[in-house]
Amino acid sequence: MDPIIFTSEAANTLSGALASLSYSRLVVLTDANTQSNCLPTIFEALTNDSVFISVNPGEINKNLETCSKIWAEMTEASLDRKALMLNLGGGVITDMGGFCASLYKRGIRFINIPTTLLSQVDASVGGKLGVDFNGLKNHLGVFNEPETVIIAPEFLKTLPQAELRSGYAEILKHGLIRDKAYFEKLKSENWENQDWESLIMHSVGIKKAVVQADPKEVGLRKILNFGHTIGHAFESYFLDSENHLLHGEAIALGMICEGFLSFQKIGFSFEELNQLTKMMLQIYGKVDFSTDQLDPILDLCLQDKKNEGSTLLFSLLNSIGDCDYNIPIKREEIREAILYYHNLKTA
Ligand code: NAD
Ligand code: ZN
């Protein structure tokens, strides 16, 4: 398991991590936003011969075309197999950078410095790397561990509010699947006033424990996918539209729908469903779509990696804080769950 370091001094911690590794050259991957907002914070820790690669930001660029550009620049800089990659950015950069590092010359080592709330609590921990392909989320990928993950809440200062809210969805998920007391604590505070540092540490603890118990997702790790089968379908469906959804916004919608399935199929109570629904709507509002869009969204659900053959296997809640997995669900049942969401009143 990778060593995860929490720090309030990202540059110092990075210097220490770099000093402890032997490598030929450092290659730093950013997107345009983390290049301007985050790179200056750690710049003093980098040596003069570092190679800098910056890509366009956003999920829309998390694909093989961007990887090709990254690999071309790495090749151009003559990086060898002892090069070390530093991924400085949100989940798009840590997922795609780790993927590029894992394939370049059959694999070079990498370090992650996650700079969004979402990537600090979730994406940069657990070794899942990859990119989207042909409109399908994370369709190409590998499992591989970074040398180190450096988590510094100081980066959140420049993060737009909508991105902070998106990351909060994964924090809520951690409470829902694994820790009722945590969820109750989150519920009692206005989301904007949360103590991010302590939530990041607690959430990383939950994610780490689950991943450690089942690194390759043959069983328990599937609970981390709660909200993601339906959530990913919506995220993919709206990806290149004007009203595209941030990952956490899509997952919040997915958690309402999959909460409904939990109520229909296993022990999740009506009262808990209402609690979950109300909370998600209050924070994330409601996503508008028409019933004509249901079939293509259902088709995307069926493409999900969490399926085995033609059966859709969902991770669903027995109760708040307790999640079960491998629950078979039919297409028509998913339709009903999405309709439940569609028919909700926002007020
Ligand atoms: P992101 O990387 O696109 O970052 C969101 C936006 O914030 C981008 O525009 C980025 O440029 C900007 N940004 C990043 N850090 C900033 C900072 N400190 N200040 C200002 N702007 C900043 O997206 P994300 O929400 O971090 O991650 C979403 C991705 O993570 C998705 O692709 C999702 O599939 C993936 N993910 C992976 C895992 C995993 O286990 N590997 C888990 C959850 C999510
Ligand atoms: Zn997620």
Side-chain angles (χ1 to χ4, degrees), residues 31 33 59 62 90-92 95 115-116 128 137 155 158 207:
D31 67 26
N33 297 323
E59 186 72 29
K62 184 180 158 182
V92 166
D95 276 16
T115 61
T116 62
K128 274 193 185 180
K137 280 278 301 173
F155 288 115
T158 55
K207 171 130 191 201

Side-chain angles (χ1 to χ4, degrees), residues 101-155:
S102 302
L103 268 74
Y104 183 76
K105 299 202 173 184
R106 295 206 181 85
I108 61 168
R109 292 159 302 159
F110 62 100
I111 293 179
N112 284 341
I113 304 190
T115 61
T116 62
L117 180 62
L118 195 137
S119 58
Q120 294 188 344
V121 296
D122 203 338
S124 74
V125 181
K128 274 193 185 180
L129 312 167
V131 293
D132 306 337
F133 182 69
N134 279 357
L136 300 171
K137 280 278 301 173
N138 303 329
H139 196 63
L140 304 176
V142 295
F143 280 103
N144 197 7
E145 291 288 350
E147 297 301 303
T148 305
V149 182
I150 297 172
I151 299 180
E154 64 189 295
F155 288 115

